[in-house]
Amino acid sequence: MTTEICKIDAFSLERAKKIIESGGAVAFPTETVYGLGANAFSTEAVNGIFTIKGRPNNNPLIVHVHRDYDISALVDEIPDYAKKLAKAYLPGPLTMVYKSKGKVSPSVSCGLDTLAVRVPSHEGAQRFLRCVGLPIAAPSANISKHVSPTSAEHVLGDLNGRIELILDGGKCEGGIESTVLDCTGEVPVILRSGLVTRQMIANVAGDCGVYTYIKGERARSPGLMYKHYSPNCETALFSEGELEKALSRYDERAKAGKRVVIICGTEAVRLLGERQNIPLGKTPSEMAKNLYSALREAEKQFDVAIALVPENDGGIMEGVINRLSKACAGEE
Ligand code: AMP
Ligand code: MG
């Protein structure tokens, strides 16, 4: 199969619609990362996504809908706080988990009785979802466990020959995956941090919990169990307070003949001397936006990537550090 990258226009959207209707998968841009979408009503189409990505079949998918789609067709028991959050932050990088009505294929939620729903704000994603007119189950458009794609070229790098069409909407503005929020309880609980922060949620909902996965437990969000977002090179993660340790690791790996790079905030570059670096930007938002392209650049040109990050301030840095901890985790 040849994979084509196409700008989003009436012609490519019509082609995308045909592929989706015939049970295939299409990569499309969102404001977070690129997604790999298929018809959420079709078990065969949804299973195709797991095969294409090599995704474990117990890691559920998020259903994407356009802004005027009535989600009460798919889910039950939408609490008042969720309605307020939807009004404040949707369309946008917030995925909300509800009790499922069981209308989409059971493969989407991998047997859970809940369904994760997202309304992306990216104009290209909206056009695609509206044109297709179906709820689209979509994980990130990368090979399972690899770094998520934030450009059409990243998708091609991972899925060349495995899908027909990549809709090209340019570089993703957000850069890390959506916040996943459990809306099945009294108060919302963050299952995965992202650009819609705990503070933003608490401001609207009055309260917001955070779920922490404990290794060995059955995770409330199965995706949390896996090593994820990982470049194909050796990795290490240090906070800026551990600068000396990060620099000694660099020097030690370089001495062993490895090509080493430090991925860090732009402000930290001056602390590195002559050492190789990939700057992520100054603000947490910039760092989120550039994180995955930096990891992909690191794996192409270096043997060892050392991430050096600011302290966790609980805002967007929470999401950046969460992704880097997974990317730098040992094999799981
Ligand atoms: P990805 O699309 O690859 O970013 O992964 C989707 C994320 O959403 C994973 O971390 C899943 O575990 C999580 N997710 C999807 N559906 C559910 C659900 N019904 N309940 C809890 N988490 C979910
Ligand atoms: Mg993913």
Side-chain angles (χ1 to χ4, degrees), residues 5-222:
I5 296 182
C6 293
K7 292 274 171 233
I8 301 177
D9 55 24
F11 186 74
S12 62
L13 286 172
E14 206 41 51
R15 189 165 157 209
K17 185 173 192 235
K18 283 211 178 88
I19 296 170
I20 296 290
E21 284 172 348
S22 64
V26 171
F28 64 101
T30 79
E31 70 279 19
T32 58
V33 303
Y34 274 70
L36 179 65
N39 178 2
F41 290 129
S42 160
T43 296
E44 214 183 324
V46 173
N47 288 347
I49 289 180
F50 286 87
T51 309
I52 292 165
K53 285 189 53 133
R55 186 177 175 99
N57 64 5
N58 62 351
N59 190 8
L61 309 181
I62 296 169
V63 161
H64 294 64
V65 294
H66 64 72
R67 58 162 67 81
D68 298 320
Y69 194 93
D70 178 10
I71 65 157
S72 65
L74 304 178
V75 297
D76 254 339
E77 300 172 21
I78 302 175
D80 278 345
Y81 68 74
K83 287 179 191 154
K84 284 191 207 157
L85 287 167
K87 202 163 169 212
Y89 299 123
L90 299 188
L94 175 65
T95 294
M96 295 161 91
V97 175
Y98 300 107
K99 192 112 190 125
S100 177
K101 274 191 171 165
K103 302 286 182 199
V104 299
S105 159
S107 292
V108 173
S109 295
C110 302
L112 299 174
D113 60 0
T114 52
L115 184 68
V117 185
R118 171 154 143 68
V119 188
S121 60
H122 191 288
E123 213 29 60
Q126 282 289 326
R127 285 179 71 190
F128 166 63
L129 293 165
R130 208 176 276 279
C131 171
V132 172
L134 289 164
I136 293 294
S140 48
N142 50 279
I143 294 292
S144 187
K145 301 189 182 174
H146 192 219
V147 183
S148 300
T150 51
S151 71
E153 291 70 29
H154 291 169
V155 180
L156 188 71
D158 274 28
L159 302 182
N160 195 7
R162 297 180 188 226
I163 56 173
E164 237 180 85
L165 177 64
I166 301 168
L167 293 173
D168 185 357
K171 181 169 173 162
C172 301
E173 273 303 311
I176 58 172
E177 300 79 357
S178 60
T179 305
V180 178
L181 191 68
D182 185 342
C183 297
T184 60
E186 293 273 298
V187 290
V189 176
I190 293 180
L191 300 176
R192 176 176 73 187
S193 50
L195 298 175
V196 176
T197 63
R198 181 185 195 176
Q199 194 58 55
M200 289 166 72
I201 293 165
N203 284 347
V204 172
D207 201 356
C208 177
V210 179
Y211 172 71
T212 21
Y213 166 61
I214 298 165
K215 233 174 167 169
E217 261 185 12
R218 188 173 181 277
R220 253 167 85 178
S221 188

Side-chain angles (χ1 to χ4, degrees), residues 160-332:
N160 195 7
R162 297 180 188 226
I163 56 173
E164 237 180 85
L165 177 64
I166 301 168
L167 293 173
D168 185 357
K171 181 169 173 162
C172 301
E173 273 303 311
I176 58 172
E177 300 79 357
S178 60
T179 305
V180 178
L181 191 68
D182 185 342
C183 297
T184 60
E186 293 273 298
V187 290
V189 176
I190 293 180
L191 300 176
R192 176 176 73 187
S193 50
L195 298 175
V196 176
T197 63
R198 181 185 195 176
Q199 194 58 55
M200 289 166 72
I201 293 165
N203 284 347
V204 172
D207 201 356
C208 177
V210 179
Y211 172 71
T212 21
Y213 166 61
I214 298 165
K215 233 174 167 169
E217 261 185 12
R218 188 173 181 277
R220 253 167 85 178
S221 188
L224 302 172
M225 292 186 291
Y226 301 106
K227 181 180 164 89
H228 220 126
Y229 323 117
S230 308
N232 297 316
C233 63
E234 187 185 316
T235 51
L237 172 62
F238 295 96
S239 75
E240 285 179 1
E242 302 172 304
L243 176 69
E244 289 310 319
K245 270 195 195 168
L247 299 184
S248 342
R249 177 71 68 89
Y250 182 107
D251 296 343
E252 178 232 310
R253 303 310 286 138
K255 219 167 159 191
K258 303 286 181 188
R259 295 166 302 164
V260 195
V261 69
I262 297 187
I263 297 174
C264 61
T266 307
E267 302 283 351
V269 169
R270 65 190 164 80
L271 308 171
L272 308 179
E274 295 299 302
R275 296 173 185 87
Q276 296 268 9
N277 64 81
I278 304 176
L280 288 173
K282 284 191 177 157
T283 63
S285 310
E286 282 172 17
M287 294 176 80
K289 178 173 179 178
N290 296 321
L291 179 65
Y292 290 144
S293 45
L295 291 175
R296 282 180 181 259
E297 193 182 327
E299 72 179 3
K300 259 196 217 150
Q301 298 179 35
F302 298 90
D303 307 307
V304 183
I306 297 174
L308 179 66
V309 291
E311 300 303 324
N312 188 348
D313 67 356
I316 289 171
M317 271 321 288
E318 175 93 35
V320 172
I321 292 171
N322 164 273
R323 302 313 188 274
L324 277 169
S325 328
K326 295 265 172 190
C328 301
E331 200 49 62
E332 281 171 62

